[in-house]
Amino acid sequence: MLNAWHLPVAPFVTRREDRLTITLWLTGNAQPTRVSLRAERDNEEIHLLMTRLKRAPQPGVSAWQVTLAIHDGQPRRRYSFKLLWPDRQRWFTPQGFSDFPPARLEQFAVDVPDNGPQWVADRIFYQIFPDRFARSEPRSPEQDKVYWHAAAGREIILRDWDEPLTAEAGGSTFYGGDLDGIRQKLPYLKALGVNALYLNPVFVAPSVHKYDTEDYRRVDPQFGGDEALLRLREATRKAGMRLVLDGVFNHSGDSHAWFDRHRRGEGGACHSPDSASRSWYSFSPEGLALDWLGYSSLPKLDYRSPTLVEEVYQGSDSIVRHWLKAPWEMDGWRLDVVHMLGEGGGAANNLQHVAGISRAAKETRPDAYILGEHFGDARQWLQADAEDAAMNYRGFTFPLWAFLSRTDISGDPQHISARTCMEWMDNYRAGLSHQQQLRMFNQLDSHDTPRFKTLLGRDIARLPLAVVWLFSWPGVPCIYYGDEVGLDGEQDPFCRKPFPWDKTRQDTELLGLYQRLARLRKDSLPLRQGGCQVLYAEEDVVVFVRVWKQQRVLVAINRGDACEVVLGDSPLLREKNWQLNEGNGRLQADTLMLSAVSASVWSAT
């Protein structure tokens, strides 16, 4: 049986000056007589004959190699391998062997040079819903001001931190978390291992979630205003942490002065056909504003308007640019429902405008991280480089949910095997370059989903498996606030409970696991930069290895009963001295002995 081994990292891909050397390993019988590399030069397919090396990298392994010039052509180098015999051919791609040539976007891809933000893959993110993370004292009167929430038709509710969250007035209930509270908790986050923050919206808005923006150029007084954000920005710099904001550019709130449904000013688009901002929204022939998904408080922005384009992203002091400049100097944007942004009340010319947002951000801050929110397939935007990465629901969260908690995003049953889970994950990332895979935003849950702990139900013992997976799969891990201490919760609003700062209410064993894995990732180049090869995926067990040069990290996930797994003679695992870093599994020769419902991590050099 013939086997092939290649990952788009060293030792299989190495660079020296303007030359890129690509190597394929083969094991087994019936070796090909020729191997060629299918590559591209300015989108034109080329074939380069590979040379079989005289010296084998390991006994029983043949190595085929070719060198590419990288002084020309596009930075994204897509390639696959064509294996030839006198009477037949086969192709090798990230998803294995094929008897026919692969599609262009189903091949190996490596970015040389890599123009994306270099800092992202080395980070551990922490997502904060500002009202529910930490409350500072003392407070200004504006922070606890009761006001009429027009969209909800009621006054907002202020609750004490330890009051239970109820379904009443979900968008109008405040617990008083703020930006100074986040700043005061940075030592806790640093001890957790966090070195980057993503904040849900912080700009002026009437709701607790603040996706109904009222002013894109001011921080909400409830969160402490502009000065509190500056204090947090300075504190994160001193702590070595990056800070990413949430950009809600698909729609505004209906209380924004641009729209002004509630007639708090003059000249808003809602009631004035002659408004300077009338063209910034779309209206039906009857004069009704087109909104986002039936929420009348969220009128859609219409990017047919050149002046809106200037205001949001293109202008020299556009909203996108403003917060990336001094004194703010934020590190990037997470773009809310960005796939729906566009013209005419819909998503027309979406890719053009998303790319424009990204381009404006990069012109202002070259290392800005542009992260798109996509519950569906994000590869269209990523393959066009309109975004650096996406929230990896489709490529990580959902297959993990299906495998460990037997459910999908709709709450419908979805019970899959290990093989299906790995085919799903591998298929998704095969369409992305290696560097894009490393920047994908991996989460177990978020403010838009139930907490993963709650999804597990009676299978709560599987929670540590998911945490190990989060820190070891390609991509940047993001912890949704409170997950690390066992916070639970159903769908919104219950997934947005206040953080339990009382230590008697925290799962300290789970917190310790998060801290250990954060340290392990910080110390491991394979986990941050390495390629990933699935070695075994059957029934209840997933085993994969992360590879960086001669370093390896082996991860085994077992959702079922205690078992033994024979990995076979993989050249990626040979001649290594393995050390158990996490869990209680055992590795002897090519056999893993795994406890029931367990996750284990080994490393080797």
Side-chain angles (χ1 to χ4, degrees), residues 356-418:
I357 290 172
S358 184
R359 185 166 53 250
K362 304 291 186 180
E363 289 170 356
T364 308
R365 183 174 184 131
D367 70 342
Y369 181 41
I370 305 302
L371 167 69
E373 181 203 21
H374 301 269
F375 274 84
D377 190 344
R379 288 175 294 185
Q380 174 185 350
W381 291 265
L382 297 168
Q383 289 160 351
D385 289 318
E387 302 164 354
D388 292 313
M391 299 183 78
N392 203 13
Y393 289 112
R394 185 59 63 95
F396 176 77
T397 310
F398 294 164
L400 182 145
W401 282 11
F403 183 68
L404 293 180
S405 68
R406 304 187 184 97
T407 189
D408 70 4
I409 186 60
S410 301
D412 295 324
Q414 187 177 28
H415 190 191
I416 62 175
S417 68

Side-chain angles (χ1 to χ4, degrees), residues 404-439:
L404 293 180
S405 68
R406 304 187 184 97
T407 189
D408 70 4
I409 186 60
S410 301
D412 295 324
Q414 187 177 28
H415 190 191
I416 62 175
S417 68
R419 176 177 292 184
T420 300
C421 183
M422 288 296 91
E423 287 176 349
W424 183 348
M425 287 187 171
D426 275 353
N427 173 269
Y428 193 82
R429 67 190 183 94
L432 305 177
S433 75
H434 173 67
Q435 288 81 358
Q436 287 177 313
Q437 293 178 37
L438 298 180
R439 296 185 186 113

Side-chain angles (χ1 to χ4, degrees), residues 82-103:
K82 184 179 184 182
L83 283 63
L84 291 156
W85 292 263
D87 59 346
R88 61 191 176 98
Q89 63 177 253
R90 296 185 80 187
W91 293 77
F92 183 68
T93 73
Q95 297 183 79
F97 285 114
S98 170
D99 291 328
F100 56 88

Side-chain angles (χ1 to χ4, degrees), residues 334-350:
R334 178 265 193 187
L335 302 177
D336 182 59
V337 291
V338 69
H339 54 287
M340 301 185 75
L341 178 152
E343 302 175 2
N349 290 323
N350 171 268

Side-chain angles (χ1 to χ4, degrees), residues 317-361:
D317 193 34
S318 65
I319 295 162
V320 167
R321 297 181 194 269
H322 175 80
W323 296 100
L324 300 178
K325 295 178 180 179
W328 314 100
E329 295 182 338
M330 297 299 159
D331 293 296
W333 288 102
R334 178 265 193 187
L335 302 177
D336 182 59
V337 291
V338 69
H339 54 287
M340 301 185 75
L341 178 152
E343 302 175 2
N349 290 323
N350 171 268
L351 200 56
Q352 168 191 326
H353 294 294
V354 178
I357 290 172
S358 184
R359 185 166 53 250

Side-chain angles (χ1 to χ4, degrees), residues 2-14 20-28 30-38 48-58 60-67 79-85 90-97 108 533 571-572:
L2 185 68
N3 288 306
W5 307 90
H6 177 83
L7 293 170
V9 295
F12 298 98
V13 176
T14 58
L20 198 68
T21 299
I22 296 178
T23 305
L24 174 71
W25 289 0
L26 296 175
T27 63
Q31 295 263 336
T33 55
R34 287 182 293 146
V35 177
S36 68
L37 184 81
R38 183 274 183 203
L48 302 172
L49 191 63
M50 302 185 75
T51 300
R52 181 169 178 167
L53 301 184
K54 294 180 179 178
R55 183 176 179 181
Q58 295 179 14
V61 178
S62 65
W64 296 77
Q65 195 170 87
V66 70
T67 300
Y79 61 93
S80 55
F81 301 94
K82 184 179 184 182
L83 283 63
L84 291 156
W85 292 263
R90 296 185 80 187
W91 293 77
F92 183 68
T93 73
Q95 297 183 79
F97 285 114
F108 294 101
Q533 179 74 52
L572 296 180

Side-chain angles (χ1 to χ4, degrees), residues 26-267:
L26 296 175
T27 63
N29 300 320
Q31 295 263 336
T33 55
R34 287 182 293 146
V35 177
S36 68
L37 184 81
R38 183 274 183 203
E40 295 178 355
R41 183 177 293 123
D42 292 330
N43 296 332
E44 177 69 12
E45 181 174 306
I46 61 174
H47 286 262
L48 302 172
L49 191 63
M50 302 185 75
T51 300
R52 181 169 178 167
L53 301 184
K54 294 180 179 178
R55 183 176 179 181
Q58 295 179 14
V61 178
S62 65
W64 296 77
Q65 195 170 87
V66 70
T67 300
L68 299 175
I70 56 174
H71 60 272
D72 60 2
Q74 298 183 96
R76 181 147 303 142
R77 317 287 167 169
R78 301 185 188 278
Y79 61 93
S80 55
F81 301 94
K82 184 179 184 182
L83 283 63
L84 291 156
W85 292 263
D87 59 346
R88 61 191 176 98
Q89 63 177 253
R90 296 185 80 187
W91 293 77
F92 183 68
T93 73
Q95 297 183 79
F97 285 114
S98 170
D99 291 328
F100 56 88
R104 180 169 181 262
L105 299 180
E106 294 177 354
Q107 304 187 68
F108 294 101
V110 60
D111 294 333
V112 183
D114 175 20
N115 297 318
Q118 302 297 308
W119 55 270
V120 173
D122 291 331
R123 299 286 153 169
I124 295 171
F125 270 85
Y126 194 83
Q127 180 192 347
I128 295 178
F129 194 82
D131 182 69
R132 306 289 165 81
F133 180 61
R135 176 185 172 105
S136 68
E137 298 290 351
R139 299 167 62 77
S140 70
E142 281 194 306
Q143 290 186 266
D144 294 320
K145 179 181 177 182
V146 174
Y147 57 86
W148 183 258
H149 187 181
R154 61 169 301 150
E155 288 188 334
I156 67 163
I157 298 170
L158 300 181
R159 285 194 172 144
D160 292 333
W161 198 258
D162 292 323
E163 282 189 75
L165 182 64
T166 69
E168 180 191 8
S172 305
T173 299
F174 289 81
Y175 281 81
D178 56 23
L179 300 180
D180 283 322
I182 297 171
R183 176 174 55 84
Q184 291 164 6
K185 296 298 184 181
L186 290 184
Y188 163 80
L189 294 173
K190 196 161 187 177
L192 177 58
V194 167
N195 53 14
L197 304 181
Y198 150 50
L199 307 184
N200 287 110
V202 299
F203 304 124
V204 177
S207 69
V208 69
H209 54 73
K210 304 207 179 296
Y211 283 96
D212 49 349
T213 313
E214 188 172 296
D215 189 338
Y216 288 98
R217 295 182 182 271
R218 285 197 304 129
V219 176
D220 201 298
Q222 288 173 296
F223 292 161
D226 290 2
E227 292 303 315
L229 183 58
L230 281 172
R231 289 190 291 270
L232 177 60
R233 170 74 281 194
E234 184 59 28
T236 53
R237 280 199 198 98
K238 290 180 179 178
M241 292 185 183
R242 299 281 185 156
L243 183 58
V244 171
L245 297 182
D246 207 327
V248 189
F249 306 132
N250 170 68
H251 53 266
S252 75
D254 66 355
S255 60
H256 198 295
W258 298 345
F259 194 78
D260 195 20
R261 182 189 300 279
H262 311 294
R263 299 182 185 271
R264 292 161 52 180
E266 295 181 2

